[in-house]
Amino acid sequence: LSPYCIYLFCSFAPHYFYLYFAHSFQFFTFERKHTVAYYMNPGLSLTAVLPFSDINECTTVPDACKGGMRCINHFGGYFCLPQNAQIIVSNGDDEPTVAPLVEEQPPLGSYGDSECCCDVSDCTRSQGLTIQCLNRKRRGLFSQNIIMDDFLYFRSAFLPFLFNLLVPPCLADVNECEGSNPCQHQCYNIMGSFICQCEQGYELASNQASCQDIDECAFSSYMCQWQCVNQPGGYVCTCPEGYQLQGNRMCQDIDECETGNNCREDEMCWNYFGGFRCYPRNPCHEPYVKTGEGRCSCQSLTICRGLPPSIVYKYMSISSERSVPADIFQIQATSVYPNMHNTFRVKSGNEGGEFILRRSSNVSAMLVMTKPLTGPREHVVDLEMVTHNNVLNYRSSSLLRLTIIVGPYAF
């Protein structure tokens, strides 16, 4: 066997096994008659916990040991030992004595009534075997004062010490996470080392211990609808003036006409995307007079000769860079007479060719935006409807003055 420090734990299983070795074999009894620990020079440790009645395999198993080996029965199994093997027995008080090697041995738990467990320090002892009784007062198998009253209690006490059984004490793991934490955030101990983990919003630096902030705003320009602001461990979305954050990333227009504005009493508040404007409640100018909400009419045909008899004022809001073509406003005749024919046109405000007026029927037309408008800006378009009556030789016109407020942003 190798002189290195080796620990081996074997729980009882209904299998036959052989142990071949050239060194001496020793065993001791402790903690009740059915719990036995075996120690073999130079460092193998076998433990068997058997709450059952023993079967003498040396008499029941035909030819149990091969090659001229001697069969030695013990509680829960048997050993095949060399002819020159010696069994040294100790009860904790007297000097160890050499027991005679016989074909059949009583259960090992029946040797003496000692409750002493003698540990062997395999990692520090010399080539020779040194035996020392540590404590006679119910000292447990793992020197933790465990009193194994029965098999079930031993099982519950076994798991916490399994690591100490399987790994030599000289190779026991050191928990680097205890005491001085080598990690900036979270430390997780693993066998023989440790790993560091950062909190959400951080990532490990090149030294695998420090944590550095992740700039989520650099991932994509679509993280936020307007502006992404990186913060330690995360980010926030912000909205421009006139908007409020809706959810985590979207911006919603604030209706200042509802929440508060500084328009005068003779003015009306008109909300648009990103702001508001104040317009006069009476937009009529001479020779026109107000005859309704946003409607101005000329009361003198002589004075208003060559002018539209009425002007209707309307307002609308659109976002900047709106996709085109887009139907944005519908104009419709308010009065319908027999034998009347209506035509529609953009009279003014379309110098850049941003709009067309598409006739939908004899009494309506749709204003179509053909070029995107960039805000903030105010665009005023005059839409004219001309009415003809060929029977009565009648011709008249009506004007709709549409004010389009283009917001500063595309939302």
Side-chain angles (χ1 to χ4, degrees):
L1 293 176
S2 173
Y4 292 99
C5 178
I6 303 173
Y7 277 65
L8 175 64
F9 178 83
C10 298
S11 60
F12 175 74
H15 298 290
Y16 306 119
F17 54 90
Y18 297 87
L19 294 176
Y20 298 94
F21 51 92
H23 297 261
S24 60
F25 168 76
Q26 304 170 10
F27 66 89
F28 304 93
T29 63
F30 69 103
E31 295 295 350
R32 297 189 180 276
K33 64 181 181 181
H34 58 270
T35 305
V36 183
Y38 306 97
Y39 293 87
M40 286 156 307
N41 188 14
L44 288 178
S45 173
L46 290 176
T47 301
V49 181
L50 309 172
F52 312 105
S53 299
D54 178 57
I55 298 175
N56 191 342
E57 292 84 359
C58 291
T59 59
T60 59
V61 178
D63 196 14
C65 294
K66 310 292 185 182
M69 302 289 282
R70 290 293 187 94
C71 179
I72 305 299
N73 182 67
H74 69 85
F75 199 90
Y78 69 98
F79 285 107
C80 294
L81 303 181
Q83 295 289 342
N84 60 350
Q86 290 182 329
I87 300 176
I88 300 176
V89 182
S90 173
N91 60 6
D93 294 328
D94 303 329
E95 291 295 328
T97 59
V98 178
L101 189 60
V102 295
E103 294 292 333
E104 297 182 14
Q105 294 286 350
L108 295 179
S110 64
Y111 283 100
D113 57 355
S114 171
E115 293 180 349
C116 171
C117 172
C118 299
D119 177 56
V120 177
S121 179
D122 304 273
C123 299
T124 58
R125 62 178 173 79
S126 61
Q127 290 295 329
L129 180 63
T130 301
I131 303 173
Q132 182 180 1
C133 183
L134 299 179
N135 188 356
R136 296 186 66 252
K137 298 302 181 182
R138 308 189 69 82
R139 196 69 171 164
L141 177 60
F142 312 110
S143 299
Q144 298 292 332
N145 295 323
I146 300 176
I147 300 175
M148 293 175 249
D149 290 329
D150 51 35
F151 179 67
L152 294 178
Y153 186 84
F154 176 74
R155 287 183 59 188
S156 66
F158 166 71
L159 293 178
F161 305 100
L162 178 59
F163 176 75
N164 292 331
L165 281 174
L166 298 179
V167 179
C170 48
L171 299 179
D173 176 60
V174 176
N175 190 347
E176 296 88 352
C177 297
E178 292 182 351
S180 179
N181 190 347
C183 302
Q184 183 177 355
H185 287 176
Q186 299 175 1
C187 179
Y188 295 94
N189 185 62
I190 59 176
M191 284 293 298
S193 184
F194 65 95
I195 57 175
C196 296
Q197 182 174 339
C198 298
E199 297 175 358
Q200 184 176 1
Y202 294 85
E203 62 183 357
L204 280 175
S206 57
N207 60 7
Q208 298 300 309
S210 302
C211 294
Q212 59 188 16
D213 178 58
I214 299 174
D215 187 0
E216 295 87 354
C217 298
F219 290 163
S220 171
S221 59
Y222 297 99
M223 296 294 292
C224 300
Q225 189 174 22
W226 187 63
Q227 187 175 15
C228 178
V229 179
N230 186 62
Q231 292 184 342
Y235 71 97
V236 294
C237 294
T238 59
C239 295
E241 184 180 0
Y243 290 85
Q244 61 185 358
L245 191 65
Q246 182 182 27
N248 294 327
R249 60 175 301 271
M250 304 299 292
C251 293
Q252 184 181 36
D253 174 58
I254 299 174
D255 190 349
E256 293 85 356
C257 296
E258 295 291 337
T259 60
N261 58 83
N262 56 359
C263 295
R264 301 191 307 267
E265 290 186 2
D266 61 341
E267 294 178 326
M268 57 171 275
C269 178
W270 182 263
N271 182 72
Y272 66 91
F273 293 104
F276 72 98
R277 294 196 178 188
C278 299
Y279 294 100
R281 294 185 180 275
N282 183 7
C284 304
H285 302 280
E286 292 184 356
Y288 294 93
V289 296
K290 182 179 180 182
T291 56
E293 185 69 27
R295 178 180 290 274
C296 301
S297 300
C298 184
Q299 302 298 314
S300 172
L301 295 178
T302 304
I303 299 176
C304 294
R305 184 177 300 273
L307 298 174
S310 64
I311 301 176
V312 177
Y313 289 84
K314 294 291 182 181
Y315 306 89
M316 69 170 297
S317 304
I318 62 173
S319 58
S320 181
E321 300 295 332
R322 181 171 176 175
S323 59
V324 293
D327 296 348
I328 61 173
F329 191 83
Q330 185 178 30
I331 182 174
Q332 187 168 350
T334 57
S335 301
V336 179
Y337 301 99
N339 301 319
M340 291 291 183
H341 180 73
N342 298 309
T343 59
F344 305 90
R345 66 169 181 157
V346 180
K347 186 175 182 180
S348 64
N350 194 28
E351 291 76 14
E354 297 92 348
F355 307 97
I356 60 171
L357 194 58
R358 186 183 67 237
R359 188 172 185 270
S360 304
S361 66
N362 185 43
V363 294
S364 65
M366 177 65 68
L367 181 66
V368 181
M369 186 172 65
T370 58
K371 294 181 181 180
L373 300 179
T374 303
R377 65 178 290 189
E378 184 178 85
H379 207 99
V380 180
V381 182
D382 285 348
L383 307 178
E384 185 182 43
M385 181 182 70
V386 180
T387 303
H388 304 270
N389 190 324
N390 296 328
V391 176
L392 300 177
N393 196 19
Y394 171 81
R395 182 184 182 276
S396 68
S397 66
S398 299
L399 189 70
L400 188 146
R401 182 158 292 167
L402 178 64
T403 301
I404 304 173
I405 304 104
V406 183
Y409 307 104
F411 48 85

